[in-house]
């Protein structure tokens, strides 16, 4: 199975950065490790989500951003990509 925008360089960088996927409990833990989760500011009754935390490998985040951009803007066949991606495309 291939994903448009994810090539050899992105896949190898992901493999090198994550190293052993068994050390993470979930995909959300991998996202947090890479710095892809939003920052949270909490104080009393205020709970705000901010931009991504950016803790983790900067190069891999850049490659994943480029792959997501290719997937969103350059993919013609959204039906084959799955229902989740076609719903995401409608939001932009």
């Amino acid at each position: 199975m291939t994903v448009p925008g994810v090539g050899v360089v992105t896949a190898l960088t992901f493999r090198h950065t994550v190293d052993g996927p068994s050390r993470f409990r979930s995909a959300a833990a991998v996202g947090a490790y890479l710095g892809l989760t939003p920052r949270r500011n909490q104080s009393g009754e205020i709970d705000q989500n901010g931009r991504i935390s950016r803790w983790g490998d900067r190069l891999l985040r850049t490659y994943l951003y480029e792959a997501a951009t290719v997937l969103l803007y350059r993919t013609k066949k959204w039906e084959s990509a799955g229902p989740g991606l076609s719903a995401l495309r409608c939001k932009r």
Side-chain angles (χ1 to χ4, degrees):
M1 182 172 155
T2 61
V3 177
V6 177
V8 174
V9 175
T10 304
L12 286 175
T13 306
F14 184 83
R15 175 70 176 123
H16 180 268
T17 302
V18 172
D19 195 33
S22 61
R23 66 186 176 137
F24 298 102
R25 290 184 175 181
S26 65
V30 176
Y33 177 74
L34 297 176
L36 297 173
T37 56
R39 285 186 157 187
R40 298 193 67 176
N41 296 323
Q42 296 176 326
S43 175
E45 295 180 6
I46 299 173
D47 185 13
Q48 297 175 334
N49 286 331
R51 58 187 173 92
I52 63 171
S53 63
R54 293 191 214 165
W55 293 93
D57 191 355
R58 183 178 186 180
L59 182 65
L60 180 56
R61 264 196 324 276
T62 302
Y63 287 156
L64 291 175
Y65 175 81
E66 291 295 327
T69 302
V70 168
L71 184 64
L72 285 175
Y73 294 107
R74 306 223 175 192
T75 303
K76 302 286 186 215
K77 299 178 183 178
W78 283 95
E79 296 80 22
S80 63
L85 292 177
S86 59
L88 181 65
R89 184 173 185 241
C90 292
K91 288 183 180 181
R92 64 174 185 129

